C-alpha cells in the first residue's frame, strides 16, 4: 500500500508504494499513475527494531519508526490509527518470522493485561502536563462546537504506550479509564460522553481519533454554534466515514499524484490532502450531494484519462460537471470506496 516516507538526505516526505516480504520492506516510485518495475529502495528487516506509536513529529501522529541493525532510521506515515497498527503488526511479524513463539506472543498481547506494579495515577498526570514530553493539547471541533486544550482518545493511548505506562492498547485503555474514574480527565463532546454511559467498563473510554477528552480542571468548553463556524470548518466537521491513500489525476497538467482522501458525512464531503506537506490542510475537496460515482473498465484507457495508468479506476462527476479520475490500489478497494460514497450523494 501507499505510505509517505521521510527522505534520508533531504528530510522531505515522498509517497511510495510499499510491499512487505518476509525479510524486507520494498518501496517503489509511482510515475504517470503506474508503479515503476524496480524498487526505489529496500528496508532489511533482519535485526530491525520497530517503534509504534512514534511521537517524534508533533504534526504527524500516525508514524511508524524502523531502525535497521546498521542504525538507519525510517519513518513511515499511515492515514489512520487502524492502518498504522495493522502495518506495525505485520512488520513486527515479519521481523520475528524466524521466531514463531514471539509472533504468537505478539498476537496474544492485544487481549493481555497486567497493570504495572505500584503505578501512580498522579505520576501519569504530572507527566501528561509536562510542556515538553506531555500530551499535546489542541483545539478540536465536535458537532459544531469548538473545544480548547483537548486531546483525542487514541492520542492518549499512543502517549501512554510511548511513555512505557502500558505495553498494549488494551492496557492503555484500562489506564485511561482509571484516570477518568478518578476524575483526572473528563470526556467532552458527544462520542466520548455517550461512551461513559456504557455498562461495560472496557467501553467507557474510547481509543478513537474522534473521541475528545480534556484535563478535568481545564476551563469549560468555548463553543460556538454551527452557523457561526466558518464554512471551511463546517465542511470539515462531518463524521469521518472512510480515509485512505488514492492516486488522483490533476485537472490542469493531467499528472497523477498520491493523495490522502477523507470521506465525511453530515455534511457529505470528500477532501483530499497532500501527504508530503507538514500542515494537515486539504488541497481540494467537494460536496458529494448530486454527484455520480462509477467504476471505469480496466481494458484500455478511458476517455479523459492521461498516462499509462495502473488500473482500478473510478470516476466522480460533481453536480457542477467536474470530473475526478481516481485510482485505487486494488479492485476490492475501489469497490469499498464506491460503496462508501454512493449513499452520501
Amino acid at each position: 500500500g501507499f505510505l509517505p516516507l521521510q527522505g534520508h538526505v533531504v528530510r522531505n516526505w515522498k509517497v511510495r508504494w510499499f510491499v512487505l516480504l518476509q525479510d524486507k520492506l520494498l518501496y517503489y516510485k509511482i510515475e504517470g499513475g503506474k508503479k515503476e518495475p524496480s524498487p526505489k529502495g529496500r528496508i532489511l528487516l533482519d535485526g530491525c527494531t520497530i517503534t509504534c506509536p512514534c511521537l517524534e513529529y508533533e504534526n504527524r501522529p500516525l508514524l511508524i519508526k524502523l531502525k535497521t541493525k546498521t542504525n538507519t532510521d525510517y519513518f513511515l506515515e499511515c492515514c489512520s490509527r487502524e492502518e498504522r497498527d495493522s502495518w506495525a503488526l505485520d512488520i513486527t511479524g515479519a521481523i520475528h518470522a524466524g521466531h514463531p513463539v514471539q509472533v504468537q506472543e505478539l498476537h496474544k498481547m492485544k487481549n493481555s493485561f497486567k497493570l504495572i506494579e505500584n503505578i501512580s495515577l498522579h505520576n501519569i498526570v504530572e507527566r501528561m502536563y509536562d510542556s515538553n514530553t506531555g500530551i499535546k493539547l489542541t483545539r478540536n471541533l465536535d458537532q459544531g462546537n469548538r473545544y480548547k486544550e483537548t486531546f483525542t482518545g487514541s492520542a492518549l493511548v499512543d502517549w501512554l504506550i510511548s511513555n512505557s505506562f502500558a505495553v498494549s492498547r488494551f492496557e492503555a485503555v484500562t489506564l485511561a479509564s482509571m484516570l477518568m474514574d478518578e476524575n483526572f480527565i473528563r470526556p467532552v463532546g458527544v462520542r466520548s460522553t455517550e461512551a461513559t454511559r456504557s455498562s461495560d467498563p472496557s467501553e467507557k473510554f474510547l481509543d478513537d481519533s474522534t473521541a475528545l477528552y480534556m484535563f478535568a480542571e481545564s476551563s469549560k468548553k468555548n463553543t460556538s454554534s454551527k452557523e457561526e463556524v466558518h464554512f471551511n470548518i463546517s465542511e470539515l466537521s462531518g463524521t469521518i466515514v472512510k480515509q485512505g491513500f488514492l492516486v488522483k489525476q490533476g485537472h490542469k497538467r493531467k499528472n497523477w499524484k498520491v493523495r490522502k482522501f477523507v470521506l465525511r458525512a453530515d455534511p457529505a464531503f470528500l477532501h483530499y490532502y497532500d501527504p508530503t506537506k507538514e500542515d494537515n490542510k486539504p488541497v481540494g475537496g467537494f460536496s458529494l450531494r448530486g454527484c455520480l460515482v462509477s467504476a471505469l473498465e480496466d481494458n484500455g484507457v478511458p476517455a479523459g484519462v492521461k498516462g499509462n495508468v495502473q488500473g482500478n479506476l473510478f470516476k466522480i462527476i460533481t453536480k457542477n460537471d467536474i470530473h475526478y479520475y481516481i485510482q485505487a490500489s486494488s479492485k476490492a478497494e475501489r469497490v469499498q470506496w464506491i460503496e462508501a460514497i454512493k449513499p452520501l450523494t
Side-chain angles (χ1 to χ4, degrees):
F2 290 112
L3 296 172
L5 169 72
Q6 187 185 57
H8 291 292
V9 180
V10 180
R11 292 293 183 178
N12 58 350
W13 295 83
K14 299 288 186 182
V15 180
R16 297 290 182 247
W17 176 260
F18 281 81
V19 177
L20 177 62
L21 303 178
Q22 187 170 355
D23 60 343
K24 65 179 74 75
L25 189 59
L26 304 178
Y27 52 94
Y28 297 79
K29 193 175 180 181
I30 301 293
E31 282 293 338
K34 192 171 184 179
K35 176 174 71 71
E36 290 189 340
S38 300
K40 180 77 174 175
R42 68 192 68 216
I43 303 171
L44 299 179
L45 297 179
D46 180 39
C48 196
T49 59
I50 182 170
T51 302
C52 179
C54 172
L55 306 181
E56 293 190 22
Y57 291 86
E58 183 177 345
N59 293 334
R60 295 181 180 269
L62 298 173
L63 288 179
I64 297 171
K65 178 181 178 181
L66 297 175
K67 181 184 283 290
T68 67
K69 65 179 180 181
T70 58
N71 289 323
T72 303
D73 291 339
Y74 291 88
F75 293 93
L76 318 176
E77 185 179 33
C78 300
C79 66
S80 67
R81 180 181 60 78
E82 292 78 14
E83 184 190 51
R84 181 198 63 190
D85 292 348
S86 177
W87 269 104
L89 187 67
D90 289 341
I91 292 171
T92 306
I95 291 172
H96 299 304
H99 308 278
V101 175
Q102 287 180 289
V103 176
Q104 188 177 15
E105 290 300 317
L106 178 71
H107 287 275
K108 283 182 179 179
M109 188 184 293
K110 284 186 175 181
N111 299 316
S112 66
F113 176 66
K114 182 180 179 182
L115 192 63
I116 301 172
E117 293 182 8
N118 303 319
I119 195 166
S120 167
L121 295 181
H122 288 277
N123 180 41
I124 293 177
V125 174
E126 284 182 9
R127 292 275 297 278
M128 287 174 67
Y129 271 111
D130 190 284
S131 58
N132 295 317
T133 61
I135 191 158
K136 304 300 180 185
L137 303 179
T138 59
R139 295 173 181 265
N140 281 287
L141 188 72
D142 182 88
Q143 298 290 312
N145 293 325
R146 282 179 285 188
Y147 299 90
K148 293 180 179 178
E149 298 185 329
T150 60
F151 46 88
T152 66
S154 58
L156 178 54
V157 169
D158 287 349
W159 184 88
L160 289 169
I161 294 173
S162 66
N163 284 273
S164 303
F165 289 115
V167 297
S168 70
R169 305 197 77 82
F170 182 80
E171 289 187 20
V173 167
T174 304
L175 273 179
S177 299
M178 294 168 65
L179 290 171
M180 197 162 57
D181 289 341
E182 296 297 322
N183 202 34
F184 288 111
I185 64 173
R186 65 182 180 87
V188 290
V190 176
R191 285 214 65 205
S192 54
T193 303
E194 287 182 349
T196 61
R197 303 188 183 103
S198 172
S199 58
D200 187 343
S202 65
E203 296 178 0
K204 290 183 181 295
F205 180 89
L206 298 178
D207 178 8
D208 192 289
S209 59
T210 62
L212 301 181
Y213 299 87
M214 68 193 314
F215 290 114
E217 61 185 47
S218 297
S219 57
K220 292 186 178 180
K221 63 185 180 182
N222 178 25
T223 66
S224 63
S225 66
K226 283 186 178 180
E227 290 72 26
E228 294 173 331
V229 178
H230 191 269
F231 174 74
N232 287 338
I233 297 177
S234 176
E235 69 181 51
L236 293 170
S237 66
T239 302
I240 295 177
V241 176
K242 185 174 177 60
Q243 56 187 329
F245 295 112
L246 299 167
V247 189
K248 172 186 168 294
Q249 181 178 263
H251 289 294
K252 294 180 180 179
R253 296 177 59 192
K254 304 298 182 183
N255 56 345
W256 292 88
K257 297 287 186 182
V258 178
R259 294 291 181 249
K260 174 186 173 181
F261 280 79
V262 179
L263 176 64
R264 293 180 173 90
D266 301 322
F269 273 83
L270 184 63
H271 293 95
Y272 48 95
Y273 301 71
D274 185 345
T276 66
K277 303 298 183 185
E278 289 298 333
D279 60 6
N280 191 31
K281 297 177 181 178
V283 294
F286 50 91
S287 170
L288 289 172
R289 296 302 179 194
C291 285
L292 297 174
V293 56
S294 60
L296 297 175
E297 296 300 328
D298 291 339
N299 51 348
V301 180
V305 174
K306 303 295 182 181
N308 186 18
V309 297
Q310 193 86 12
N312 306 312
L313 284 162
F314 64 98
K315 177 171 68 172
I316 302 175
I317 306 174
T318 70
K319 63 180 180 181
N320 297 325
D321 199 35
I322 300 174
H323 293 225
Y324 289 87
Y325 295 97
I326 302 169
Q327 286 189 75
S329 60
S330 66
K331 284 184 171 59
E333 187 184 44
R334 176 174 66 179
V335 170
Q336 292 169 7
W337 272 99
I338 292 174
E339 290 182 347
I341 292 169
K342 274 187 176 178
L344 302 178
T345 59

